């Protein structure tokens, strides 16, 4: 047992387990404490200002110029000849549960000074260190589901991608807002519309909660909020279906 978090494991398995045991409550850093306070009253139904913003080609080009002029690194966005664009997004991994590696892989060393030279003879699980961040170079049409798959490949994680979800996080008036991205949403487009500020928009990979839900355990305000979320998801699904059939109808009319 760990003296701080009481995590149980076999003696011979200790080298394969990575835990960030930060001690008893209150022993963590101040930033983590502030983050928890901010997220207690998160309204997950609050829509993003840029969620439904549409840009034409000239506006995209102008936004890219403005974006590149505001960043303090070389992680620029580039406009391609076909009208698409490429750029970088930063994703923070906030995973509570351990992830799984294949039996033929070595446990990746994610913390400096803690190498793992020994091979893993079977499937093993470990915890990603708190605050793990990964930069990805993606296209404007790269979907959120593809970002999740790319992140799992980077860390050789073999868990089903459906176990994870990509969230957008923003801060406004000392309040943190989280919104789960749909599979077909385009993170780089959101990054361009929001600008480079991490407070305005950042991306987080978290567990995707699935399975049976005990609705009786929630309060009336929470249940009403869930109904609003379901309504938004239904309306978005209907909008995408109508858009798809409208395009098919347009193609047929052009062919006629």
């Amino acid at each position: 047992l760990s003296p701080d978090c009481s995590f149980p494991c076999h003696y011979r398995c200790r080298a394969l387990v990575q835990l960030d045991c930060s001690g008893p409550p209150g022993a963590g850093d101040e930033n983590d404490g502030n983050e928890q306070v901010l997220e207690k009253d998160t309204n997950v139904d609050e829509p993003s200002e840029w969620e439904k913003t549409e840009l034409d080609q000239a506006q995209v080009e102008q936004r890219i110029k403005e974006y590149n002029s505001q960043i303090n690194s070389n992680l620029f966005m580039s406009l391609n000849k076909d009208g698409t664009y490429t750029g970088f997004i930063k994703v923070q991994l906030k995973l509570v549960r351990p992830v799984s590696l294949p039996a033929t892989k070595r446990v990746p060393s994610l913390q400096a000074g803690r190498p793992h030279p020994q091979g893993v003879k079977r499937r093993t699980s470990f915890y990603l260190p708190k605050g793990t961040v990964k930069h990805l170079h993606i296209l404007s049409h790269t979907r959120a589901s593809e970002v999740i798959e790319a992140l799992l490949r980077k860390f050789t994680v073999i868990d089903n991608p459906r176990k994870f979800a990509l969230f957008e996080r923003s801060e406004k008036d000392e309040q943190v807002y989280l919104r789960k991205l749909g599979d077909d949403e385009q993170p780089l487009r959101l990054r361009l519309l929001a600008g480079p500020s991490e407070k305005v928009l950042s991306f987080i990979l978290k567990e995707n909660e699935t399975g049976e839900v005990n609705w009786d355990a929630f309060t009336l305000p929470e249940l009403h909020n869930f109904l609003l979320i379901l309504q938004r998801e239904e309306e978005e699904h209907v909008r995408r279906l109508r858009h798809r059939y409208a395009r098919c109808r347009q193609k047929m009319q052009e062919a006629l």
Side-chain angles (χ1 to χ4, degrees):
L1 295 178
S2 165
D4 293 326
C5 61
S6 300
F7 178 80
C9 70
H10 293 102
Y11 176 79
R12 63 185 180 183
C13 298
R14 288 196 307 176
L16 302 180
V17 178
Q18 292 189 5
L19 290 174
D20 187 6
C21 298
S22 55
D29 55 63
E30 294 181 359
N31 291 335
D32 290 339
N34 292 337
E35 183 79 2
Q36 293 173 1
V37 171
L38 284 172
E39 291 192 358
K40 280 183 179 179
D41 298 322
T42 294
N43 180 4
V44 295
D45 189 53
E46 187 72 19
S48 302
E49 296 177 359
W50 50 83
E51 187 177 348
K52 296 182 180 180
T53 304
E54 297 292 340
L55 300 177
D56 58 29
Q57 186 65 22
Q59 290 173 322
V60 169
E61 185 175 358
Q62 180 62 29
R63 288 267 188 164
I64 290 177
K65 290 180 180 179
E66 293 175 358
Y67 181 94
N68 289 339
S69 67
Q70 294 172 14
I71 61 175
N72 298 320
S73 64
N74 59 349
L75 304 180
F76 299 107
M77 287 195 189
S78 301
L79 183 64
N80 302 321
K81 293 181 179 179
D82 60 359
T84 63
Y85 50 96
T86 59
F88 293 86
I89 62 169
K90 183 173 74 172
V91 182
Q92 182 180 10
L93 281 66
K94 282 191 173 182
L95 302 179
V96 177
R97 307 186 189 103
V99 294
S100 300
L101 294 180
T104 57
K105 296 291 183 180
R106 295 176 181 269
V107 178
S109 177
L110 298 175
Q111 293 178 330
R114 296 182 62 180
H116 297 273
Q118 71 276 15
V120 180
K121 297 181 181 179
R122 58 187 180 185
R123 174 173 173 155
T124 187
S125 298
F126 71 102
Y127 287 86
L128 287 173
K130 184 186 299 184
T132 298
V133 173
K134 189 67 180 178
H135 285 85
L136 292 177
H137 188 250
I138 61 175
L139 295 165
S140 54
H141 53 76
T142 301
R143 298 177 295 129
S145 59
E146 295 171 327
V147 169
I148 294 174
E149 294 171 359
L151 286 169
L152 298 184
R153 286 196 301 270
K154 290 286 186 181
F155 293 107
T156 64
V157 174
I158 60 177
D159 292 299
N160 191 323
R162 302 299 300 176
K163 292 183 179 181
F164 307 91
L166 195 64
F167 288 79
E168 67 172 24
R169 178 189 182 279
S170 59
E171 296 182 24
K172 184 178 180 181
D173 300 327
E174 298 184 355
Q175 174 71 48
V176 172
Y177 298 92
L178 288 178
R179 186 179 72 88
K180 178 181 172 182
L181 298 184
D183 289 343
D184 294 331
E185 291 196 59
Q186 301 163 338
L188 190 62
R189 174 180 172 275
L190 295 175
R191 179 80 278 165
L192 177 63
L193 292 172
S197 172
E198 290 292 318
K199 285 191 174 182
V200 176
L201 173 71
S202 60
F203 295 108
I204 300 174
L205 183 71
K206 302 177 70 174
E207 282 87 0
N208 187 19
E209 298 298 337
T210 57
E212 294 296 325
V213 177
N214 181 16
W215 298 111
D216 293 332
F218 294 92
T219 63
L220 285 177
E222 289 173 329
L223 291 173
H224 283 301
N225 200 32
F226 291 149
L227 289 174
L228 289 173
I229 295 172
L230 290 175
Q231 181 182 352
R232 287 186 60 221
E233 291 180 351
E234 180 183 18
E235 291 173 351
E236 177 64 13
H237 186 64
V238 171
R239 186 192 67 81
R240 291 178 182 174
L241 280 176
R242 288 176 175 171
H243 179 69
R244 193 178 93 186
Y245 282 102
R247 290 189 62 184
C248 291
R249 191 178 296 110
Q250 180 183 0
K251 294 291 184 181
M252 292 179 185
Q253 290 174 346
E254 290 175 355
L256 289 173

